[in-house]
C-alpha cells in the first residue's frame, strides 16, 4: 500500500522525492496523532501495536475510501451516470487519489507551507474523520445515494 501511494503521489518519475515526502509526512503525522491521543486519553499506550505507522496509514485510507464510483450507462433510453460498486484495490487507489487531490488543493498561507506539511495536515484530519477529505467523501456519498434513488436502485 505504501508503494502504491508513492506511485500515485508523483505519476511521472521523481520517486525518491515522493518517498521522502511520504515517509516524512507519515512519521510526523503519526507523532501528531499519538500526541493528541495521549492528551485526550489517560489510558493511551503509544507502544501498542495498533498505533504503528502501517496501522495508522490503513485507518487513514479506510476513512478516505468510498466503495462506489459513477459510471456512464444507457438507462431508460438515455445515458445516465449510475453508481457501481468497485473492488477493494480500486477503492484504495481512489482513496489515495482523493487524499492527494485535497492536499494539492490546500491554499498556501503566510508561512508558505510545503507539500509535506499539507500531507501531514490531511493525514491527521483524515485519521480523526474531519477536514476536506471527509467533506469531499460526504458530498460524493450524498451524490451517489441521490443518483441511486433517482434510478430506483436499492
Amino acid at each position: 500500500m505504501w508503494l502504491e501511494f508513492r506511485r500515485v503521489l508523483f505519476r511521472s518519475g521523481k520517486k525518491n522525492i515522493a518517498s521522502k515526502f511520504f515517509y516524512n509526512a507519515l512519521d510526523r503525522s503519526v507523532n501528531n496523532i499519538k500526541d493528541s491521543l495521549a492528551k485526550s486519553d489517560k489510558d493511551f499506550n503509544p507502544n501498542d501495536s495498533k498505533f504503528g505507522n502501517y496501522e495508522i496509514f490503513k485507518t487513514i485510507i479506510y476513512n478516505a475510501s468510498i466503495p462506489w464510483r459513477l459510471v456512464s450507462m444507457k438507462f431508460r433510453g438515455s445515458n445516465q451516470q449510475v453508481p457501481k460498486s468497485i473492488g477493494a484495490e480500486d477503492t484504495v487507489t481512489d482513496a489515495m487519489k482523493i487524499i492527494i487531490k485535497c492536499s494539492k488543493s490546500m491554499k498556501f498561507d503566510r508561512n508558505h507551507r510545503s507539500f509535506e506539511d499539507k500531507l501531514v495536515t490531511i493525514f491527521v484530519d483524515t485519521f480523526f474523520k474531519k477536514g476536506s477529505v471527509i467533506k469531499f467523501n460526504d458530498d460524493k456519498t450524498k451524490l451517489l445515494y441521490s443518483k441511486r434513488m433517482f434510478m430506483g436502485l436499492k
Side-chain angles (χ1 to χ4, degrees):
M1 201 169 1
W2 309 54
L3 297 175
E4 177 77 14
F5 191 83
R6 191 183 73 179
R7 184 187 65 78
V8 172
L9 188 59
F10 283 106
R11 292 187 181 172
S12 58
K14 300 192 179 23
K15 300 298 183 209
N16 277 339
I17 295 172
S19 60
K20 285 179 188 177
F21 277 146
F22 172 69
Y23 291 121
N24 290 339
L26 187 64
D27 288 339
R28 286 177 50 198
S29 62
V30 166
N31 290 336
N32 288 348
I33 289 168
K34 286 182 179 181
D35 290 343
S36 61
L37 287 175
K39 288 178 185 176
S40 65
D41 190 10
K42 295 176 183 175
D43 299 330
F44 173 71
N45 182 10
N47 298 326
D48 195 4
S49 63
K50 66 181 179 179
F51 292 108
N53 288 2
Y54 186 68
E55 286 75 20
I56 287 178
F57 184 66
K58 280 192 337 187
T59 306
I60 290 168
I61 293 297
Y62 177 76
N63 289 346
S65 63
I66 301 175
W68 299 90
R69 184 183 292 163
L70 286 175
V71 179
S72 182
M73 288 181 60
K74 192 139 184 127
F75 186 78
R76 294 185 185 160
S78 63
N79 285 339
Q80 300 283 337
Q81 288 188 337
V82 179
K84 289 280 185 178
S85 62
I86 57 176
E89 292 178 4
D90 291 338
T91 303
V92 168
T93 305
D94 283 354
M96 291 177 190
K97 288 179 182 177
I98 290 169
I99 288 173
I100 292 169
K101 177 183 174 185
C102 289
S103 62
K104 285 183 178 177
S105 68
M106 285 179 70
K107 303 288 184 203
F108 285 111
D109 59 356
R110 291 182 195 161
N111 299 331
H112 297 289
R113 296 183 349 189
S114 67
F115 185 69
E116 183 180 317
D117 294 336
K118 292 178 183 181
L119 271 179
V120 169
T121 305
I122 292 291
F123 284 165
V124 171
D125 287 347
T126 307
F127 182 82
F128 290 115
K129 294 185 179 180
K130 59 181 183 178
S132 60
V133 173
I134 303 301
K135 183 182 181 316
F136 180 83
N137 284 353
D138 289 344
D139 293 344
K140 191 151 188 169
T141 304
K142 287 178 187 175
L143 175 73
L144 289 171
Y145 281 122
S146 67
K147 291 276 185 184
R148 288 180 64 160
M149 293 300 127
F150 175 71
M151 298 291 174
L153 304 173
K154 294 183 180 183

